[in-house]
Amino acid sequence: MSDLAPVIVCDELKKSYGPLEVLKGVTGTLHQGDVVSVIGPSGCGKSTFLRCLNRLETINGGSLEVMGIDISHPQLNQKVLRQLRSKVSMVFQHFNLFPHLTVLKNLTIAPQKVLKTSESDCRDRALHYLEKVGLGDKANVYPDQLSGGQKQRVAIARSLCMKPEVILFDEPTSALDPELVGEVLGVMRQLAEDGMTMVVVTHEMQFAREVSNRVLFFNQGIIEESGPPAELFNQPKSDRLKNFLSRIKNSNS
Ligand code: ADP
Ligand code: MG
C-alpha cells in the first residue's frame, strides 16, 4: 500500500450503453504519482473507463471518487463538475485542438473560462508549458501548421495549463506516424519523472514497461490482471493476457 493520498478510488464500477454492459465491475485505487498503463484488446472498455473517470460518462453502478469528490451520482451540480474538470484532464488520440484558434488561444481558453484565471496569467502559463513540451516557438501558429506529434504535444501542454492532479491519456500516439511517436512519449516520460499522476491507455508496451509503475490488463469490461510491469509482462498468469501479449509482439515485429 502506498501512503500517498488516493487520487481515484473506484469500486465495482459499472457502465452500460443501453443493453450493452461495457464495464462490468472495475475496482482499483490510483495514488498520487502513480503512472498506470491500461492495456487490452480493442472494444474491451478502456476508453469508456477513462471517460467515466472525468465524467464524460455517468456510471451505472458501483462507486467512483476522484480527489475525494464522489462522482457516482447521476446528477452532479455545475460547481462539482467544474472542480472535477480542473483536477482531471484528458489527452485524446485525435488531439481535439480548435483548428480556428492559435496554439496559444487553444491553451488559454479553458483556464480562462473554467478556472477564471486572468488573461496574462493564462498566457504566461501557456508559454511556460509550450516551452516544456519543446514548442516555445509555436504559440502563434494554427494547429494545421503543425505535425501530428507537435499537435499532440500542444494537447499535452493544454492539459498542463489546467494544473491537473491527474492526466488521462487515451491512446495518445495511435494516430501518429511511427516516426513521430517518440517525441510524444518523450514528453510523457518527462511528466512521469516530474511526478505527474497519469493513466495511459496505450499499445506502446515498451513505454508501459519502462515508465509505468502499474499495468492494468482490461478484458471484456473487467480488470483481468494487474501488477507491476515486470510481473505482468514477464509472468502473465491468465491465458488471455498471454495471448494478448503474443499478438501484440507479433504485430510489432
Ligand atoms: P476500447 O477503448 O477498449 O477499444 P471502448 O471503451 O471504446 O473500447 O468501447 C467498449 C464498447 O462500448 C465497444 O463495444 C463500443 O462499441 C461500445 N461503445 C463505446 N462508446 C459507446 C457509445 N457512446 N454508445 C454505444 N456504445 C458504445
Ligand atoms: Mg479506445
Side-chain angles (χ1 to χ4, degrees):
M1 274 302 283
S2 160
D3 2 325
L4 290 171
V7 175
I8 295 172
V9 183
C10 61
D11 188 26
E12 285 300 313
L13 187 159
K14 294 191 174 70
K15 172 68 192 172
S16 301
Y17 296 107
L20 178 68
E21 191 178 35
V22 176
L23 300 178
K24 299 174 183 168
V26 175
T27 298
T29 301
L30 184 80
H31 291 94
Q32 214 180 342
D34 273 346
V35 178
V36 173
S37 291
V38 177
I39 61 171
S42 180
C44 69
K46 305 179 299 294
S47 295
T48 302
F49 176 60
L50 286 197
R51 292 167 60 82
C52 288
L53 298 183
N54 76 340
R55 189 61 189 217
L56 287 173
E57 304 286 356
T58 50
I59 68 174
N60 302 115
S63 65
L64 177 58
E65 251 183 43
V66 177
M67 300 297 299
I69 309 172
D70 180 357
I71 61 162
S72 317
H73 295 295
Q75 257 132 24
L76 286 185
N77 69 38
Q78 284 303 316
K79 187 167 162 240
V80 174
L81 265 183
R82 261 206 310 278
Q83 225 181 339
L84 175 73
R85 295 273 152 76
S86 69
K87 293 177 194 298
V88 184
S89 168
M90 190 138 165
V91 172
F92 301 90
Q93 185 177 349
H94 293 287
F95 332 125
N96 297 12
L97 299 173
F98 290 116
H100 60 292
L101 300 179
T102 62
V103 164
L104 182 65
K105 196 73 192 157
N106 264 284
L107 266 58
T108 56
I109 190 164
Q112 253 183 295
K113 287 205 167 145
V114 181
L115 306 182
K116 315 284 180 208
T117 308
S118 76
E119 193 174 343
S120 71
D121 283 356
C122 285
R123 191 170 183 281
D124 292 348
R125 200 185 283 182
L127 294 174
H128 169 78
Y129 286 120
L130 275 179
E131 203 65 59
K132 190 162 171 67
V133 301
L135 296 171
D137 56 340
K138 300 291 186 192
N140 295 314
V141 310
Y142 287 85
D144 271 0
Q145 294 165 266
L146 301 173
S147 70
Q150 290 173 328
K151 280 183 205 165
Q152 194 59 298
R153 286 189 281 149
V154 168
I156 293 172
R158 175 182 57 183
S159 255
L160 292 168
C161 283
M162 294 298 282
K163 301 244 177 193
E165 300 287 340
V166 51
I167 306 185
L168 313 175
F169 294 84
D170 194 0
E171 299 199 31
T173 59
S174 295
L176 302 178
D177 291 334
E179 73 272 19
L180 303 178
V181 168
E183 65 190 62
V184 172
L185 293 181
V187 166
M188 292 169 63
R189 187 184 286 264
Q190 186 60 54
L191 282 183
E193 282 168 11
D194 293 346
M196 178 57 77
T197 310
M198 298 160 58
V199 184
V200 186
V201 175
T202 187
H203 293 292
E204 297 291 336
M205 295 301 143
Q206 197 185 342
F207 177 86
R209 192 187 266 275
E210 290 174 7
V211 181
S212 43
N213 62 330
R214 206 143 49 91
V215 180
L216 310 179
F217 171 58
F218 267 63
N219 191 53
Q220 296 184 358
I222 57 162
I223 299 176
E224 170 107 22
E225 208 166 317
S226 68
E231 197 179 297
L232 221 86
F233 289 118
N234 299 343
Q235 291 140 5
K237 293 189 189 74
S238 68
D239 286 341
R240 288 201 186 92
L241 177 55
K242 286 178 196 161
N243 284 338
F244 175 76
L245 292 175
S246 71
R247 280 205 309 276
I248 290 253
K249 208 166 160 192
N250 291 336
S251 68
N252 284 347
S253 58

